Amino acid sequence: RLAALELPGNVKRTPLNALSAEKLRERGVQQLFLFKASGFGKDSAPLGDRCALDMQGPTPALIVRNTARGAMELKAQIGDFVLSSEGDFVGIIVSVTENGRFQEARAVLCDESIWENSRSISLTPDPNGIYRDFSDFMRKVIER
């Protein structure tokens, strides 16, 4: 599952440009960088030849290959994100699966189609307390 947050108009933040699957296919998967979500972008590494584009499934994805245990590479994990060398947002890692001697980390790409049939959650606390912790947390993030 993936969630996105639409910021209110009074919040002055400049979003990154998102690279669609089609634009990424045209550009190629060279010069992509992995950023660790846990390090707030401070931990990063070039992905080199660890990437492949999967256009076959129901939603396009970027596959990042994590090599065998003990290798000195920054491993892609759920929540990490990928940017291009031009600073465009490519995708976010949503799953990691074992595949023999390596792992495949799957990043959802930011095509408009991923938001089709999406649901909306209000950040206004509801009287029943549903999503209250989430809405409280997100309001604090927006206020920063």
Side-chain angles (χ1 to χ4, degrees):
R1 295 189 183 237
L2 186 65
L5 180 66
E6 184 175 352
L7 297 175
N10 62 344
V11 175
K12 303 299 180 209
R13 301 269 194 259
T14 304
L16 296 172
N17 290 325
L19 206 56
S20 70
E22 186 58 33
K23 287 181 182 173
L24 183 60
R25 187 183 65 74
E26 291 170 8
R27 176 197 180 278
V29 295
Q30 306 81 13
Q31 296 184 333
L32 298 179
F33 294 83
L34 178 71
F35 288 82
K36 302 301 285 179
S38 60
F40 298 100
K42 291 180 183 173
D43 296 327
S44 65
L47 288 172
D49 61 355
R50 295 172 49 193
C51 298
L53 196 53
D54 178 6
M55 300 291 278
Q56 302 300 316
T59 56
L62 179 73
I63 306 299
V64 178
R65 185 175 176 166
N66 291 332
T67 57
R69 292 184 180 104
M72 297 303 293
E73 70 180 18
L74 197 58
K75 298 203 184 315
Q77 297 173 319
I78 294 173
D80 295 347
F81 54 98
V82 179
L83 300 179
S84 71
S85 58
E86 298 82 18
D88 295 325
F89 183 81
V90 174
I92 187 166
I93 306 293
V94 295
S95 67
V96 179
T97 56
E98 294 290 333
N99 194 351
R101 297 167 72 174
F102 60 91
Q103 296 176 326
E104 283 187 353
R106 188 173 194 83
V108 168
L109 302 176
C110 290
D111 280 343
E112 291 296 318
S113 64
I114 67 170
W115 306 118
E116 290 175 8
N117 303 316
S118 62
R119 297 183 192 167
S120 179
I121 298 173
S122 173
L123 294 184
T124 305
D126 95 19
N128 299 324
I130 298 173
Y131 304 116
R132 183 176 198 102
D133 291 341
F134 174 77
S135 63
D136 289 347
F137 174 78
M138 293 313 301
R139 276 196 318 276
K140 288 178 188 172
V141 168
I142 290 170
E143 291 169 1
R144 284 188 196 169

